[in-house]
Amino acid sequence: MDASNTVTAGNFSSLLSGPKRLLLLLINYWTILQVIAIGSILGIPWALVRWRVLASVLLLYLVPPLMARIIRSLSPIREGHIPVGQRDFFIWWALFNLQVIFCRFPALEEVLRLVPGLYGPWLRLWGARVGSLIYWGAGLRILDRSFVQIGDGVMFGATVRINPHVLARNKQGELELILSTVRIGSEALIGGYSLLTAGTEIAPGECTKAFLISPPFSKWESGNRVAKAEVAP
C-alpha cells in the first residue's frame, strides 16, 4: 500500500457522521465493560470462590462467542467489499470487538490450546467451521473467528496470523472493509510467521513456506499463488 492509500484514524473517522461515530465508540466499550464485570464477579464477598471463578470463566469464554452467534443469526452479514459506515460494517465491528480481549491478552487462547481437543469446539461456538486433529502452533492468532474454515489434519507453524478482514481503498479512492472467509483445506501445513488475509484459500495438502504473506483473495496450490476471482463489491 503506497502513501496515498494509507489509512489513518483521521481519515477513517471523517467518513462517519456524528451518530455513527458515537455508535462506533459505544461498541468499543464492550471490552472494558467485560473486564469490569469479571472483576466485580471475582470481588463478590458473599459468594463461594469456586462459583465466582466459574461465573468469570463463563463470562470470559462463553458469553462473547454466543453473542456473536446471536448477532450473526439476527443480522446476517454479507462478505466482500463493504463501504465504511454501512450496516454490515457496524455488524462486523460489533463482532470484532467481542474478540478484542483475546487479541489484547493472547495467553487466554494459549490456555485453551494447552488442552487437546478444546480449542476447535470453542472456535465453532463463534461460527467457525473447524475439522479434527488440528495442530495449533504456539502464538497462533485468529481475528474474525466467525470467518474461518479449517479442514481436518491441518498443521499451523508458530505465530501464524489469520486475518479475514482488511481495510483498504478501492479504485475510486474510497475506504472500505474487505471481509471474506479464510479457507484452509485438509492436511495443509501453514508455514510459521505467515499472514493469511481476507478470502485466502489454501488447497488441501498444500505446504506453504514460512513468512508467507497472502494478499486478499489469493489461492495457493502446488506451491504457487493461483488467480482467484474476488467477491463482487
Side-chain angles (χ1 to χ4, degrees):
M1 183 180 296
D2 61 24
S4 62
N5 287 330
T6 300
V7 177
T8 66
N11 59 36
F12 177 79
S13 62
S14 66
L15 298 174
L16 304 176
S17 62
K20 289 184 176 181
R21 292 186 196 179
L22 178 60
L23 177 58
L24 202 73
L25 179 62
L26 291 175
I27 294 173
N28 288 349
Y29 273 96
W30 162 257
T31 302
I32 188 61
L33 292 176
Q34 185 183 18
V35 171
I36 291 172
I38 291 172
S40 300
I41 291 173
L42 290 173
I44 296 175
W46 45 265
L48 294 176
V49 173
R50 64 174 177 269
W51 294 115
R52 283 184 277 167
V53 172
L54 177 60
S56 298
V57 170
L58 292 177
L59 178 55
L60 175 63
Y61 286 108
L62 291 186
V63 170
L66 292 178
M67 287 183 63
R69 292 293 291 268
I70 292 172
I71 290 173
R72 292 203 66 187
S73 176
L74 296 177
S75 302
I77 181 173
R78 67 180 179 86
E79 299 186 27
H81 299 257
I82 303 172
V84 170
Q86 284 196 353
R87 169 186 172 276
D88 286 330
F89 173 83
F90 283 102
I91 296 173
W92 164 77
W93 189 251
L95 294 172
F96 178 73
N97 273 270
L98 289 172
Q99 306 168 78
V100 164
I101 192 169
F102 302 105
C103 300
R104 301 293 188 188
F105 303 102
L108 295 175
E109 286 193 65
E110 289 292 347
V111 170
L112 294 179
R113 290 194 283 262
L114 285 175
V115 182
L118 183 59
Y119 188 59
W122 185 70
L123 289 178
R124 294 187 195 108
L125 283 179
W126 291 94
R129 298 176 62 184
V130 180
S132 59
L133 299 177
I134 297 171
Y135 178 76
W136 310 98
L140 172 74
R141 300 284 292 277
I142 301 179
L143 304 183
D144 303 311
R145 295 163 183 83
S146 303
F147 299 93
V148 294
Q149 180 178 324
I150 304 171
D152 298 330
V154 173
M155 296 185 66
F156 290 97
T159 322
V160 171
R161 299 289 191 267
I162 300 178
N163 189 18
H165 80 267
V166 174
L167 278 170
R169 294 194 180 277
N170 58 25
K171 295 179 179 179
Q172 291 73 40
E174 300 167 336
L175 189 61
E176 63 182 8
L177 168 70
I178 303 174
L179 177 67
S180 186
T181 297
V182 172
R183 295 177 170 84
I184 302 174
S186 297
E187 308 297 330
L189 192 156
I190 310 302
Y193 307 96
S194 295
L195 171 62
L196 310 183
T197 64
T200 290
E201 183 176 336
I202 308 296
E206 184 71 9
C207 180
T208 69
K209 63 183 179 180
F211 296 97
L212 173 70
I213 297 180
S214 178
F217 303 106
S218 298
K219 180 175 181 179
W220 299 88
E221 189 173 4
S222 301
N224 298 308
R225 181 186 176 197
V226 181
K228 180 181 175 184
E230 294 191 20
V231 178

